[in-house]
Amino acid sequence: MYWEQLQQGVEVALKESFERILEGAQEDIKLYAEGIAKDLLRAIREGDSDLTGELKDQLIALAEIQRIRVVNEQWTLLEEVVAVVMRLLLQVVKGGQ
């Protein structure tokens, strides 16, 4: 019984964590991707290799932002899983109330 409750709590925490990561990534895509793509195509069309390099760096920075978002979310997820375990332990200690 308690293992099932623990599993359900962890599943909810994982789902919410993944949703936060995806929402943040979607916001970044809306904010940056269109502009970067337009500028990149313009740079290629005009043969501006300096601008092409700068845009490549922007894409790398955008990927790094996503990596940092995932790392930060790992800490939030860990806190949520610990909270689930603590609630379950308190329930067991109190005799299932």
Side-chain angles (χ1 to χ4, degrees):
M1 178 172 111
Y2 294 116
W3 287 111
E4 292 160 355
Q5 290 175 342
L6 181 59
Q7 179 181 340
Q8 289 172 351
V10 171
E11 285 176 14
V12 168
L14 283 169
K15 180 180 176 272
E16 291 172 354
S17 178
F18 291 141
E19 287 173 352
R20 284 189 297 267
I21 290 170
L22 292 174
E23 286 171 6
Q26 287 174 341
E27 289 173 13
D28 288 342
I29 289 168
K30 289 176 187 174
L31 191 60
Y32 300 109
E34 183 180 349
I36 291 172
K38 284 180 182 177
D39 288 346
L40 181 59
L41 291 175
R42 182 176 51 85
I44 292 170
R45 194 172 52 246
E46 295 173 3
D48 187 347
S49 61
D50 291 335
L51 184 56
T52 304
E54 289 175 24
L55 291 168
K56 180 182 130 197
D57 291 342
Q58 288 179 23
L59 290 170
I60 291 169
L62 185 57
E64 182 63 12
I65 289 169
Q66 301 314 309
R67 187 192 69 75
I68 291 169
R69 175 177 279 114
V70 170
V71 168
N72 288 338
E73 187 60 37
Q74 288 173 347
W75 288 108
T76 301
L77 177 60
L78 179 60
E79 290 171 359
E80 291 174 356
V81 169
V82 168
V84 167
V85 172
M86 294 302 292
R87 281 192 300 272
L88 184 59
L89 285 174
L90 284 172
Q91 185 178 0
V92 170
V93 169
K94 291 182 178 182
Q97 296 177 357

